[in-house]
């Protein structure tokens, strides 16, 4: 298959109406932080057992079209000996990989950050593809204060995201472009909207300059909402209205799918907000989820590292996947939370 057909086939399989992604790509330090909440040591076997639980959830493929894995998981095997990427693909879930190497302070720009990982990326893609990865993810992070992010941070991160996306497409791998405007801070929803608009505008400008084919990417943005320390927390209706307005201004309709991160929202909030946005349709893109915490918190807390809790944990994951699938169609009913 030529590269374009390959990218098209992958993006078609991922951006299916009513399906979203499971972000299970926590880095070593992040998964250790998550395991700490259940008093579990982050050993290689515990990480494998946890990812095994998630990926062997019966019926997950009905609601989830792709899973983002961390490099270590891409090379690990399920209980039955099947490598995780092959297991996912067999269940109708496209396997992908987080390829950025995390963020560091942006030089000469106090408070801003930049994501690393471009050097050698084309070479790394050869191995990832051989292991079964069909898409990739790169996360850029923007902190909000009265003066941040700086123009420099907005431009430098847009350039890195676009370079990554171009290298990814050349390798026949669909890039998920993730600019995350953090919800930490006491800023208003208006300030979040202003920053998100500037960030997305610059990202699409850079994607164009780097010749990235918009039909073959997915955008993974944050929702527009007041900072988590702001006195007035945003309502579902306000989050939906602000987010859709900013996306319409900045994201070309050639982009097939927008899959949100949850960023620290509770599982119920993340579902309700996605649903409210889809009820504002028709929208030019498929609007869905690529949640980490909002899908995994309930199963992680149910599991507690005990084999005897696996079934209960899988039921908790399947429930969130099912409710988010409904929200991706604007058909979520909050009364289903009790079932
Ligand atoms: P959260 O949904 O927990 O924000 O994680 C999504 C993700 O992939 C962050 O990079």
């Amino acid at each position: 298959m030529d590269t374009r057909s390959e990218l098209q086939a992958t993006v078609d399989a991922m951006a299916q109406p009513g399906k979203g992604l499971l972000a299970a790509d926590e880095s070593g330090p992040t998964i250790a932080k998550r395991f700490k909440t259940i008093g579990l040591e982050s050993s290689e076997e515990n990480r494998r057992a946890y990812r095994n639980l998630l990926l062997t959830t019966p019926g997950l493929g009905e609601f989830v079209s792709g899973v983002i894995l961390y490099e270590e998981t891409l090379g690990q095997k399920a209980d039955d000996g099947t490598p995780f990427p092959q297991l996912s693909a067999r269940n109708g879930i496209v396997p992908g990989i987080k390829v950025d190497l995390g963020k560091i302070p942006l030089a000469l720009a106090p408070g801003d950050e930049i994501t690393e990982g471009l050097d050698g990326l084309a070479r790394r893609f050869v191995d990832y593809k051989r292991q079964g990865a069909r898409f990739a993810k790169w996360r850029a992070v923007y902190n909000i204060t009265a003066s941040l992010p700086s123009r420099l941070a907005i431009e430098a991160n847009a350039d890195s995201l676009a370079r990554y996306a171009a290298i990814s497409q050349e390798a026949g791998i669909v890039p998920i472009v993730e600019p995350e405007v953090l919800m930490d801070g006491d800023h208003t929803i208006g300030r979040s909207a202003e920053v998100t608009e500037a960030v997305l505008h610059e990202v699409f400008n850079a994607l164009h300059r780097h010749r990235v084919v918009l039909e073959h990417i997915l955008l993974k943005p944050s929702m527009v909402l007041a900072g988590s320390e702001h006195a007035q927390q945003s309502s579902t209706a306000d989050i939906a209205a602000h987010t859709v307005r900013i996306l319409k201004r900045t994201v070309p309709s050639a982009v097939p799918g927008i899959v949100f991160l949850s960023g620290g929202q509770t599982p119920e909030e993340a579902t309700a907000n996605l649903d409210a946005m889809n009820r504002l349709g028709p929208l030019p893109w498929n609007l869905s989820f690529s949640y980490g915490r909002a899908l995994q918190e309930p199963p992680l807390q149910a599991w507690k590292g005990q084999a005897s809790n696996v079934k209960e944990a899988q039921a908790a994951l399947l429930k969130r996947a099912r409710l988010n699938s409904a929200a991706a169609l604007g058909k979520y009913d909050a009364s289903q939370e009790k079932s």
Side-chain angles (χ1 to χ4, degrees):
M1 217 190 311
D2 64 74
T3 303
R4 274 193 177 236
S5 318
E6 193 177 20
L7 292 168
Q8 190 64 52
T10 301
V11 95
D12 287 348
M14 293 174 75
Q16 298 181 51
K19 291 194 183 186
L21 310 182
L22 167 63
D25 59 329
E26 295 83 3
S27 63
T30 303
I31 196 70
K33 203 159 73 181
R34 304 279 185 265
F35 279 4
K36 206 162 175 228
T37 67
I38 56 165
L40 188 68
E41 182 206 345
S42 180
S43 63
E44 186 179 346
E45 173 51 24
N46 283 342
R47 292 191 294 271
R48 191 207 63 80
Y50 179 57
R51 270 67 183 249
N52 183 79
L53 176 166
L54 298 176
L55 295 173
T56 59
T57 297
L60 192 64
E62 196 183 329
F63 311 115
V64 167
S65 55
V67 60
I68 316 174
L69 304 172
Y70 189 55
E71 191 175 55
E72 176 188 77
T73 319
L74 197 71
Q76 285 178 325
K77 293 187 171 87
D79 290 351
D80 72 355
T82 313
F84 283 129
Q86 280 67 43
L87 176 85
S88 302
R90 198 204 291 153
N91 294 333
I93 300 175
V94 183
I97 175 153
K98 166 194 174 75
V99 298
D100 68 72
L101 301 179
K103 59 195 173 60
I104 52 161
L106 179 62
L108 304 183
D112 280 320
E113 297 180 292
I114 184 83
T115 303
E116 295 190 296
L118 288 173
D119 287 359
L121 185 56
R123 276 196 304 280
R124 287 165 60 207
F125 272 135
V126 175
D127 280 337
Y128 296 151
K129 206 169 176 191
R130 197 171 32 76
Q131 290 178 281
R134 292 290 170 263
F135 71 92
K137 187 198 92 167
W138 177 289
R139 173 175 176 252
V141 179
Y142 308 84
N143 297 298
I144 298 190
T145 68
S147 57
L148 299 180
S150 66
R151 261 323 294 168
L152 175 63
I154 290 173
E155 286 171 11
N157 275 293
D159 235 34
S160 296
L161 276 167
R163 278 266 292 137
Y164 139 77
I167 296 167
S168 183
Q169 288 191 340
E170 191 158 84
I173 300 259
V174 167
I176 297 185
V177 173
E178 181 181 9
E180 176 172 7
V181 177
L182 294 178
M183 58 194 268
D184 304 337
D186 63 358
H187 50 272
T188 62
I189 190 170
R191 175 77 181 130
S192 168
E194 179 181 61
V195 170
T196 305
E197 183 169 356
V199 162
L200 290 177
H201 184 74
E202 198 57 39
V203 165
F204 281 95
N205 184 18
L207 289 172
H208 175 74
R209 281 191 294 107
H210 286 263
R211 306 177 181 175
V212 172
V213 179
L214 295 187
E215 286 81 354
H216 296 157
I217 72 162
L218 293 179
L219 177 70
K220 176 164 173 167
S222 38
M223 295 182 198
V224 175
L225 64 169
S228 50
E229 286 131 51
H230 189 69
Q232 178 88 48
Q233 285 300 292
S234 313
S235 67
T236 302
D238 277 350
I239 294 170
H242 277 82
T243 306
V244 167
R245 179 165 51 84
I246 297 305
L247 291 176
K248 280 184 173 172
R249 285 183 184 174
T250 53
V251 185
S253 56
V255 174
I258 299 178
V259 288
F260 290 98
L261 59 94
S262 61
Q265 299 178 42
T266 67
E268 293 77 15
E269 284 165 356
T271 306
N273 291 335
L274 177 62
D275 181 67
M277 285 188 262
N278 276 301
R279 286 177 194 261
L280 297 176
L283 301 169
W285 346 261
N286 200 33
L287 216 60
S288 192
F289 59 92
S290 173
Y291 295 156
R293 283 162 286 178
L295 280 170
Q296 291 187 53
E297 262 166 26
L300 182 65
Q301 297 305 319
W303 179 49
K304 297 187 186 75
Q306 305 288 324
S308 55
N309 293 333
V310 164
K311 282 215 155 45
E312 197 188 324
Q314 291 182 329
L317 173 63
L318 196 66
K319 175 181 172 181
R320 290 263 51 97
R322 180 168 46 78
L323 295 179
N324 282 306
S325 163
L329 298 168
K331 291 182 175 164
Y332 163 65
D333 174 357
S335 70
Q336 292 166 345
E337 289 289 352
K338 291 182 206 81
S339 62

